[in-house]
């Protein structure tokens, strides 16, 4: 047996093509939460083939790889040209508290994708996806970073988002401690702002389609396939949502999906009615992302200030 094969756990070997030989395992990519590697094999007929494997430990790690596998499987089922093919997730046999996510390896550049090519694929994913229950949510818990999102099925987008936002806020307060400034802002956010911005989407005969969203679509979770020159997305934490939820993550300039990407997207998909609330909705969705990010990075006080600033701003405008 090849030396490289010795370091690949039997549970992973079982998912590789029959009769292949492991050539090498090398560190590849960057992750805050996991070990990420490129796994090269040679098929029985001598053809080289590569896989990407992400490895995490503990119960949280197990849930993270499961959520990522189900997310990427859902995206791949609708838009196979837009994502690397997910292959498996599971736990190591030799070290049972270690867990993996395995997918096809695609060599990528980290340049920004062409706005129209990218938007066309994202629009096709949102529009082509169908919630299996007809509701908002997802069948497993998915993790943005190493924190779970609440994904229980809900008929109403307003109800789903409210629960999701409250969960993110609870995580943020658990991470950073309570601030008296929240007292006034939080009740206005839940009692006034969310109903004001989201209820009209589902009133007066209007309807929100539950669309499959990537869930954490910033530039580092996208790339350009070196072979095909086409855009790809990865590292998803999906659920079925209002399609515009995706763009809360594009609001902060640091995420690099600028206004040209939104304009390109809306050349394929209309802005939801009422259109005059569009900016407010995106700022509300941005608040949800920023709250979650603040919870992830416990020691970064600037992120807390950002959350409070966003909250003050949206409460002032709509509360």
């Amino acid at each position: 047996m090849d030396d490289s094969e010795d370091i690949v756990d039997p549970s992973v070997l079982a998912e590789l093509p029959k009769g292949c030989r492991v050539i090498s395992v090398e560190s590849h990519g960057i992750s805050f939460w996991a070990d990420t590697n490129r796994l090269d094999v040679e098929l029985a007929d001598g053809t080289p083939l590569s896989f990407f494997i992400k490895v995490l430990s503990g119960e949280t790690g197990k849930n993270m790889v499961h959520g990522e596998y189900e997310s990427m499987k859902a995206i791949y089922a609708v838009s196979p040209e837009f994502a690397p093919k997910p292959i498996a997730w599971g736990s190591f046999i030799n070290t049972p508290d270690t867990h993996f996510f395995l997918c096809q390896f695609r060599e990528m550049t980290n340049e920004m994708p062409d706005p129209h090519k990218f938007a066309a694929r994202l629009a096709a994913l949102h529009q082509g996806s169908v919630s299996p229950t007809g509701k908002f949510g997802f069948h497993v818990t998915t993790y943005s970073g190493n924190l779970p999102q609440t994904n229980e099925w809900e008929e109403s987008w307003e109800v789903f988002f409210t629960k999701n936002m409250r969960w993110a806020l609870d995580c943020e307060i658990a991470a950073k401690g309570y601030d008296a400034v929240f007292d006034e802002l939080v009740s206005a956010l839940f009692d006034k702002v969310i109903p004001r911005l989201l209820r009209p989407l589902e009133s007066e005969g209007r309807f929100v389609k539950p669309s499959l969203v990537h869930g954490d679509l910033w530039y580092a979770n996208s790339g350009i396939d070196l072979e095909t020159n086409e855009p790809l997305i990865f590292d998803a934490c999906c659920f079925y949502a209002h399609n515009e939820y995706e763009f809360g993550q594009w609001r902060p300039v640091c995420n690099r999906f600028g206004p040209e990407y939104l304009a390109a997207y809306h050349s394929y998909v209309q802005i939801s009615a009422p259109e005059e609330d569009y900016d407010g909705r995106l700022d509300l969705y941005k608040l949800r992302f920023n709250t979650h990010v603040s919870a992830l990075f416990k020691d970064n006080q600037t992120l807390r200030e950002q959350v409070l600033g966003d909250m003050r701003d949206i409460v002032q405008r709509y509360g």
Side-chain angles (χ1 to χ4, degrees), residues 245-278:
Y245 173 82
E246 199 88 274
F247 310 128
Q249 183 64 298
W250 293 9
R251 278 312 227 206
V253 177
C254 60
N255 289 347
R256 291 202 203 161
F257 283 110
E260 68 279 20
Y261 286 88
L262 271 178
Y265 179 88
H266 289 302
S267 70
Y268 300 101
V269 183
Q270 275 182 302
I271 290 173
S272 299
E275 282 190 33
E276 60 273 19
D277 290 345
Y278 177 71

Side-chain angles (χ1 to χ4, degrees), residues 162-215:
T162 301
K163 285 173 77 171
N164 203 285
M165 181 71 224
R166 200 174 282 284
W167 173 266
L169 197 56
D170 288 347
C171 290
E172 204 275 352
I173 290 166
K176 296 236 160 90
Y178 198 76
D179 186 321
V181 181
F182 277 128
D183 287 341
E184 216 171 304
L185 294 173
V186 169
S187 58
L189 176 71
F190 288 101
D191 298 345
K192 295 185 175 157
V193 177
I194 294 176
R196 160 66 191 85
L197 286 170
L198 300 189
R199 199 162 295 169
L201 288 167
E202 300 174 298
S203 316
E204 295 172 22
R206 288 187 284 260
F207 164 80
V208 178
K209 170 196 182 292
S211 297
L212 186 69
V213 295
H214 174 286

Side-chain angles (χ1 to χ4, degrees), residues 284-296:
L284 178 62
Y285 299 156
K286 175 182 110 171
L287 173 63
R288 156 66 182 78
F289 280 101
N290 283 350
T291 303
H292 194 98
V293 170
S294 179
L296 283 173

